[in-house]
Each structure stands twice: as structure tokens, then as C-alpha cells.
Amino acid sequence: MKLSELSTLLKSLNIPVYYSHTRNNVKAPYIIYYELFSENYKADNKVYKKFKQVQIELYTKKKDEQMEEQLETVLDENNLPYETDYLYIEGENVFQTSYEIRI
């Protein structure tokens, strides 16, 4: 899967989606996603398979389990296993739910 395909999947949730960062003050809810690093399988001085670790961050004004479930359903339906982390960003008064996936 390419990052552009992931973007299309995330946009199916009908909330704003941005790569890396927002360009202005965007009100929650919104999603930011970005590549963390690549991890490639190689042998014989050749890369055989390329993988990207990607962080998806869901920002909401309150803990929104329904929106989290919708995002998780999109990931599950597309065979994208994830690890999840939660954080409240006090300075911005938003909840951040982070999903780390491999594409």
C-alpha cells in the first residue's frame, strides 16, 4: 500500500486528513498521518520488499470512542494491524489517539 492509498482510506471517515501537519488552526476532529521510518527486507545487495512504519493520529475535543472504532474498522478491513497510544494535549485541549501501522 502507498501513502496515497492510505490517505484515501482515511478520508473515507469524512473528517479532515493531513500529511505530517496542519497548515492552520484546524478544529478537531481531524487526522494527521506521516511516515516514521522504513524497514526493508534485503539480500544479495538488493531490496526485496519495502515497508513503511506510519503514524496515524486522531485528534478529538473529547474522548470519542465511536470515531476511534470507525478508524479501527477501516484499518481492520484493510488488513492493517496497529498499536495504539493515547494522550491528552493540555495546551491544545485535544485528545490524541495514535495508531502505528506498517504498510
Side-chain angles (χ1 to χ4, degrees):
M1 175 177 287
K2 295 181 180 183
L3 286 172
S4 59
E5 295 168 320
L6 177 60
S7 176
T8 300
L9 291 176
L10 296 174
K11 288 177 181 175
S12 73
L13 296 168
N14 295 317
I15 62 172
V17 175
Y18 304 93
Y19 181 80
S20 177
H21 60 282
T22 61
R23 297 186 189 260
N24 51 21
N25 279 339
V26 177
K27 292 184 181 181
Y30 62 91
I31 292 174
I32 293 178
Y33 71 102
Y34 52 92
E35 184 178 348
L36 293 168
F37 59 89
S38 66
E39 185 177 10
N40 301 325
Y41 287 117
K42 45 198 170 292
D44 301 324
N45 296 321
K46 187 176 184 179
V47 173
Y48 284 97
K49 185 73 175 165
K50 298 178 183 180
F51 293 100
K52 295 178 181 181
Q53 285 300 115
V54 176
Q55 183 89 5
I56 300 169
E57 298 170 353
L58 171 64
Y59 293 88
T60 55
K61 280 292 189 189
K62 62 180 180 64
K63 175 82 170 150
D64 193 330
E65 292 178 325
Q66 182 179 4
M67 192 166 291
E68 291 171 7
E69 288 175 9
Q70 290 173 347
L71 175 53
E72 291 167 7
T73 297
V74 167
L75 297 175
D76 291 339
E77 288 175 348
N78 289 278
N79 299 317
L80 296 169
Y82 51 86
E83 297 295 328
T84 310
D85 191 25
Y86 304 94
L87 176 67
Y88 177 72
I89 303 173
E90 193 169 323
E92 297 179 29
N93 296 320
V94 294
F95 288 87
Q96 177 193 64
T97 307
S98 300
Y99 299 86
E100 188 171 322
I101 65 170
R102 184 173 158 176
I103 59 173

